[in-house]
Amino acid sequence: MSEALQSFDLTGKAAIVTGASSGLGHHAARTLAAAGAKVAIAARRLEPLVELEKQIEALDGRAIPLRLDVTDPASAADCVKAAETELGPISILVNNAGIADGKAALEVSEADWDRVVDTNLKGAWLMAQAVAEHMTRLGHGGSIINTASVLGLTGTGQVPAYCASKGGLVNLTRALAVEWARHGIRVNALAPGYIETDINRGFLNSAAGQAMRKRVPLQRFGTPEALDGALLLLASEASRYITGSVIVIDGGQSAAL
Ligand code: NAD
């Protein structure tokens, strides 16, 4: 294998994927494990994680399921500690846990707002802080990958808290990249467009969703596999000189007027 291809290899590295019980997080955990990483798979419900652990182990990978609520600082700290105890120093964090709102701005209650922003923005910050604390104390660097969205770069109706939280996450990515570069911690973001998962299946299959699909330059919605290349790039040494970046994976949707 060429040196360039070898730089994507994650053999022996320990990773945490938040929100691994379904959708993109579930897929990302399998992708990292297939590239050789030992993966702590974390979410609020343990049962789907135990199932995913079995799937990864069936492919000769290593995974440990951990209960995590990213909105709770104690839970975030416990998750990182348990992952490190079981797997060794954590060098990759995929901040993937997220929820969407789906209400007109005038109908969003304070509780709705807090739920979305606490999960998508505060949760990512709590996890990044907990992981970076370990990385700096142990003196090894690492890669933090925040799952933002094209809705963190552009706006649309009916998802105000989601757009605000993902926009905040994009700029948190840049701020942490600048501050933690001196510790060898790279911080980047993925900005997916519409990828069919539980979070959006209803909408994507509706008439409005299908009309939107026709406006995507590549004429289709994404699948979780569409994120694999960018994920492996950012997780591995192949991106050793990339930090503070946002990689858009949207079939060209945000490039079009
Ligand atoms: P999903 O609903 O299938 O997965 C979300 C995951 O986050 C689930 O595992 C859920 O249990 C977990 N989660 C939610 N709240 C949590 C909490 N408080 N603590 C821990 N885990 C929690 O949706 P998905 O489409 O796989 O979304 C994954 C990420 O990708 C989200 O951040 C989402 O905003 C982002 N994203 C998705 C799309 C898309 O089109 N699917 C596009 C852009 C960005």
PDB file of all heavy atoms in Angstrom, residues 146-163:
ATOM      1  N   ASN A 146     -16.851  17.373  14.326  1.00  0.00           N
ATOM      2  CA  ASN A 146     -18.200  17.799  14.697  1.00  0.00           C
ATOM      3  C   ASN A 146     -19.143  17.606  13.509  1.00  0.00           C
ATOM      4  O   ASN A 146     -18.855  18.090  12.416  1.00  0.00           O
ATOM      5  CB  ASN A 146     -18.188  19.273  15.105  1.00  0.00           C
ATOM      6  CG  ASN A 146     -17.398  19.500  16.392  1.00  0.00           C
ATOM      7  OD1 ASN A 146     -17.437  18.665  17.300  1.00  0.00           O
ATOM      8  ND2 ASN A 146     -16.678  20.603  16.465  1.00  0.00           N
ATOM      9  N   THR A 147     -20.237  16.911  13.735  1.00  0.00           N
ATOM     10  CA  THR A 147     -21.218  16.766  12.653  1.00  0.00           C
ATOM     11  C   THR A 147     -22.128  17.986  12.684  1.00  0.00           C
ATOM     12  O   THR A 147     -23.054  18.070  13.492  1.00  0.00           O
ATOM     13  CB  THR A 147     -22.035  15.468  12.801  1.00  0.00           C
ATOM     14  OG1 THR A 147     -21.119  14.384  12.890  1.00  0.00           O
ATOM     15  CG2 THR A 147     -22.922  15.253  11.578  1.00  0.00           C
ATOM     16  N   ALA A 148     -21.827  18.934  11.810  1.00  0.00           N
ATOM     17  CA  ALA A 148     -22.673  20.131  11.690  1.00  0.00           C
ATOM     18  C   ALA A 148     -23.738  19.824  10.643  1.00  0.00           C
ATOM     19  O   ALA A 148     -24.363  18.755  10.661  1.00  0.00           O
ATOM     20  CB  ALA A 148     -21.821  21.335  11.327  1.00  0.00           C
ATOM     21  N   SER A 149     -23.942  20.708   9.699  1.00  0.00           N
ATOM     22  CA  SER A 149     -24.974  20.521   8.666  1.00  0.00           C
ATOM     23  C   SER A 149     -24.836  21.656   7.667  1.00  0.00           C
ATOM     24  O   SER A 149     -24.321  22.728   8.018  1.00  0.00           O
ATOM     25  CB  SER A 149     -26.360  20.577   9.327  1.00  0.00           C
ATOM     26  OG  SER A 149     -27.376  20.687   8.354  1.00  0.00           O
ATOM     27  N   VAL A 150     -25.351  21.456   6.455  1.00  0.00           N
ATOM     28  CA  VAL A 150     -25.434  22.609   5.551  1.00  0.00           C
ATOM     29  C   VAL A 150     -26.357  23.669   6.156  1.00  0.00           C
ATOM     30  O   VAL A 150     -26.239  24.846   5.835  1.00  0.00           O
ATOM     31  CB  VAL A 150     -25.913  22.245   4.128  1.00  0.00           C
ATOM     32  CG1 VAL A 150     -24.838  21.522   3.355  1.00  0.00           C
ATOM     33  CG2 VAL A 150     -27.196  21.447   4.155  1.00  0.00           C
ATOM     34  N   LEU A 151     -27.232  23.248   7.086  1.00  0.00           N
ATOM     35  CA  LEU A 151     -28.090  24.226   7.751  1.00  0.00           C
ATOM     36  C   LEU A 151     -27.340  24.989   8.852  1.00  0.00           C
ATOM     37  O   LEU A 151     -27.932  25.802   9.547  1.00  0.00           O
ATOM     38  CB  LEU A 151     -29.356  23.543   8.301  1.00  0.00           C
ATOM     39  CG  LEU A 151     -30.272  22.999   7.207  1.00  0.00           C
ATOM     40  CD1 LEU A 151     -31.521  22.354   7.816  1.00  0.00           C
ATOM     41  CD2 LEU A 151     -30.675  24.096   6.220  1.00  0.00           C
ATOM     42  N   GLY A 152     -26.063  24.730   8.985  1.00  0.00           N
ATOM     43  CA  GLY A 152     -25.204  25.584   9.813  1.00  0.00           C
ATOM     44  C   GLY A 152     -24.496  26.622   8.960  1.00  0.00           C
ATOM     45  O   GLY A 152     -23.805  27.498   9.479  1.00  0.00           O
ATOM     46  N   LEU A 153     -24.656  26.508   7.649  1.00  0.00           N
ATOM     47  CA  LEU A 153     -23.991  27.429   6.715  1.00  0.00           C
ATOM     48  C   LEU A 153     -25.003  28.276   5.956  1.00  0.00           C
ATOM     49  O   LEU A 153     -24.670  29.330   5.418  1.00  0.00           O
ATOM     50  CB  LEU A 153     -23.148  26.626   5.705  1.00  0.00           C
ATOM     51  CG  LEU A 153     -22.089  25.698   6.316  1.00  0.00           C
ATOM     52  CD1 LEU A 153     -21.523  24.757   5.252  1.00  0.00           C
ATOM     53  CD2 LEU A 153     -20.976  26.510   6.942  1.00  0.00           C
ATOM     54  N   THR A 154     -26.229  27.766   5.861  1.00  0.00           N
ATOM     55  CA  THR A 154     -27.305  28.464   5.154  1.00  0.00           C
ATOM     56  C   THR A 154     -28.553  28.363   6.046  1.00  0.00           C
ATOM     57  O   THR A 154     -28.594  27.525   6.948  1.00  0.00           O
ATOM     58  CB  THR A 154     -27.631  27.768   3.813  1.00  0.00           C
ATOM     59  OG1 THR A 154     -27.982  26.409   4.097  1.00  0.00           O
ATOM     60  CG2 THR A 154     -26.457  27.774   2.852  1.00  0.00           C
ATOM     61  N   GLY A 155     -29.557  29.174   5.770  1.00  0.00           N
ATOM     62  CA  GLY A 155     -30.778  29.115   6.585  1.00  0.00           C
ATOM     63  C   GLY A 155     -31.941  28.521   5.818  1.00  0.00           C
ATOM     64  O   GLY A 155     -31.931  28.486   4.591  1.00  0.00           O
ATOM     65  N   THR A 156     -32.929  28.035   6.560  1.00  0.00           N
ATOM     66  CA  THR A 156     -34.200  27.626   5.938  1.00  0.00           C
ATOM     67  C   THR A 156     -35.298  27.749   6.988  1.00  0.00           C
ATOM     68  O   THR A 156     -34.995  27.911   8.180  1.00  0.00           O
ATOM     69  CB  THR A 156     -34.113  26.186   5.365  1.00  0.00           C
ATOM     70  OG1 THR A 156     -35.241  25.962   4.523  1.00  0.00           O
ATOM     71  CG2 THR A 156     -34.103  25.137   6.460  1.00  0.00           C
ATOM     72  N   GLY A 157     -36.541  27.682   6.555  1.00  0.00           N
ATOM     73  CA  GLY A 157     -37.648  27.849   7.490  1.00  0.00           C
ATOM     74  C   GLY A 157     -37.932  26.600   8.299  1.00  0.00           C
ATOM     75  O   GLY A 157     -37.483  25.507   7.971  1.00  0.00           O
ATOM     76  N   GLN A 158     -38.668  26.764   9.395  1.00  0.00           N
ATOM     77  CA  GLN A 158     -39.222  25.679  10.222  1.00  0.00           C
ATOM     78  C   GLN A 158     -38.206  24.948  11.102  1.00  0.00           C
ATOM     79  O   GLN A 158     -38.575  24.002  11.791  1.00  0.00           O
ATOM     80  CB  GLN A 158     -39.956  24.628   9.367  1.00  0.00           C
ATOM     81  CG  GLN A 158     -40.942  25.198   8.361  1.00  0.00           C
ATOM     82  CD  GLN A 158     -42.145  25.844   9.031  1.00  0.00           C
ATOM     83  OE1 GLN A 158     -42.632  25.340  10.043  1.00  0.00           O
ATOM     84  NE2 GLN A 158     -42.605  26.961   8.499  1.00  0.00           N
ATOM     85  N   VAL A 159     -36.946  25.338  11.064  1.00  0.00           N
ATOM     86  CA  VAL A 159     -35.952  24.674  11.929  1.00  0.00           C
ATOM     87  C   VAL A 159     -34.994  25.722  12.543  1.00  0.00           C
ATOM     88  O   VAL A 159     -33.786  25.602  12.435  1.00  0.00           O
ATOM     89  CB  VAL A 159     -35.134  23.590  11.174  1.00  0.00           C
ATOM     90  CG1 VAL A 159     -35.843  22.273  11.126  1.00  0.00           C
ATOM     91  CG2 VAL A 159     -34.754  24.032   9.766  1.00  0.00           C
ATOM     92  N   PRO A 160     -35.577  26.748  13.208  1.00  0.00           N
ATOM     93  CA  PRO A 160     -34.713  27.854  13.658  1.00  0.00           C
ATOM     94  C   PRO A 160     -33.664  27.433  14.686  1.00  0.00           C
ATOM     95  O   PRO A 160     -32.494  27.842  14.582  1.00  0.00           O
ATOM     96  CB  PRO A 160     -35.701  28.863  14.247  1.00  0.00           C
ATOM     97  CG  PRO A 160     -36.932  28.078  14.559  1.00  0.00           C
ATOM     98  CD  PRO A 160     -36.997  26.983  13.543  1.00  0.00           C
ATOM     99  N   ALA A 161     -34.052  26.635  15.660  1.00  0.00           N
ATOM    100  CA  ALA A 161     -33.081  26.251  16.695  1.00  0.00           C
ATOM    101  C   ALA A 161     -32.007  25.345  16.102  1.00  0.00           C
ATOM    102  O   ALA A 161     -30.823  25.433  16.448  1.00  0.00           O
ATOM    103  CB  ALA A 161     -33.795  25.547  17.855  1.00  0.00           C
ATOM    104  N   TYR A 162     -32.424  24.479  15.181  1.00  0.00           N
ATOM    105  CA  TYR A 162     -31.464  23.582  14.528  1.00  0.00           C
ATOM    106  C   TYR A 162     -30.436  24.400  13.749  1.00  0.00           C
ATOM    107  O   TYR A 162     -29.223  24.191  13.884  1.00  0.00           O
ATOM    108  CB  TYR A 162     -32.218  22.626  13.594  1.00  0.00           C
ATOM    109  CG  TYR A 162     -31.348  21.551  12.979  1.00  0.00           C
ATOM    110  CD1 TYR A 162     -31.052  20.391  13.691  1.00  0.00           C
ATOM    111  CD2 TYR A 162     -30.838  21.683  11.694  1.00  0.00           C
ATOM    112  CE1 TYR A 162     -30.270  19.392  13.131  1.00  0.00           C
ATOM    113  CE2 TYR A 162     -30.053  20.694  11.127  1.00  0.00           C
ATOM    114  CZ  TYR A 162     -29.768  19.550  11.852  1.00  0.00           C
ATOM    115  OH  TYR A 162     -28.976  18.565  11.290  1.00  0.00           O
ATOM    116  N   CYS A 163     -30.917  25.357  12.929  1.00  0.00           N
ATOM    117  CA  CYS A 163     -29.992  26.184  12.138  1.00  0.00           C
ATOM    118  C   CYS A 163     -29.047  26.950  13.068  1.00  0.00           C
ATOM    119  O   CYS A 163     -27.840  27.037  12.801  1.00  0.00           O
ATOM    120  CB  CYS A 163     -30.750  27.182  11.273  1.00  0.00           C
ATOM    121  SG  CYS A 163     -31.603  26.415   9.891  1.00  0.00           S
TER     122      CYS A 163
END
